[in-house]
Amino acid sequence: MGTTFRFICEDAMFPCGGTVCHFCESDESPIYNYNGLILNPDQAANPDLAKEDPEIFELCAKCILGENVEKDIEPRIQKTINRFAKDKQASLEEFHRTPDIPLFLQGQDWPMCCGGWCEFVGVPTSCEESKGVPQSWHYWEHEPRAWEADYELVPESLREISLFKCISCEKQHFTWQFT
C-alpha cells in the first residue's frame, strides 16, 4: 500500500504540475489533481474565495487527506461502490481521500476487489509491455470484464492504461481509457 495515499503506490504517484494548493494555498508541497468541493470554506486560506467558488482542482496531500474537501463522485463510481464495496460508507470516504491519479480521460473508473479499492501501481513502461498487459492482468471497465479485443493494446499514451493490484488477494487489474 502507498504511504502518502493508501490506494496509490509511491512509485506511481505524480504531481499535476500545479504550484499552489487550492485549499491551503501552500506552494511547498507537491500538488495533485483533485476535482471536488470545499466543504468548510471558513477553514480555507482564502475563505471569501472558497465561499464564492468552492470548486477545487489541485490540492496538496495534506488537504486531500483532511476533512475539508470532497470529490465529485460520478454515478459510475457510486455504482461501483454499491456493487462491490464491503463497507459502502468507508469506501466512499476512502475515494474522497484519494487524488485523481491515474489519468481517466473518459470518467472515473477504479477497480474494486475483495470488497475494497485496489491500489494503483502505475502504467506500462513501454509499448512492448502494454501489449502483454491483457495476458497478465484482468480487464476492468466499471466491473470485471473479459478482454475481447482482437488487437494489441498499444495506446497513444502509456497513461491511458492504468495498472492496479488488490490489497487483499494481489489480483492484478487494468483499465484502458483510450483517446
Side-chain angles (χ1 to χ4, degrees), residues 38-134:
I38 295 173
L39 297 177
N40 188 346
D42 292 328
Q43 300 286 322
N46 187 337
D48 292 334
L49 178 61
K51 288 174 188 169
E52 182 181 321
D53 186 9
E55 288 185 288
I56 46 176
F57 302 98
E58 298 176 354
L59 295 174
C60 66
K62 179 181 162 210
C63 290
I64 292 170
L65 295 168
E67 300 287 320
N68 292 311
V69 297
E70 188 174 87
K71 266 186 166 181
D72 290 332
I73 302 294
E74 293 180 5
R76 289 187 269 186
I77 286 294
Q78 188 61 59
K79 187 175 179 181
T80 298
I81 291 170
N82 293 344
R83 273 187 78 191
F84 300 104
K86 198 178 295 180
D87 182 334
K88 292 170 182 39
Q89 188 58 40
S91 293
L92 179 60
E93 185 57 32
E94 290 168 338
F95 198 71
H96 286 308
R97 302 295 143 241
T98 305
D100 294 334
I101 301 172
L103 174 66
F104 285 126
L105 303 168
Q106 299 168 9
Q108 299 169 339
D109 191 10
W110 200 291
M112 287 190 117
C113 190
C114 299
W117 298 112
C118 293
E119 178 183 26
F120 173 63
V121 295
V123 300
T125 58
S126 67
C127 284
E128 277 306 308
E129 182 182 339
S130 73
K131 291 177 188 177
V133 166

Side-chain angles (χ1 to χ4, degrees), residues 76 102-111 120 122-124 127 130-131 133-134 137-143 145-164 173-179:
R76 289 187 269 186
L103 174 66
F104 285 126
L105 303 168
Q106 299 168 9
Q108 299 169 339
D109 191 10
W110 200 291
F120 173 63
V123 300
C127 284
S130 73
K131 291 177 188 177
V133 166
W137 300 70
H138 300 275
Y139 183 52
W140 176 278
E141 187 177 337
H142 308 294
E143 64 184 0
R145 294 189 182 211
W147 178 256
E148 297 177 346
D150 60 351
Y151 49 85
E152 291 183 321
L153 183 59
V154 182
E156 289 180 36
S157 165
L158 293 173
R159 288 191 58 205
E160 294 174 11
I161 301 168
S162 299
L163 307 174
F164 298 85
H173 301 273
F174 80 97
T175 62
W176 180 30
Q177 294 207 346
F178 47 88
T179 56

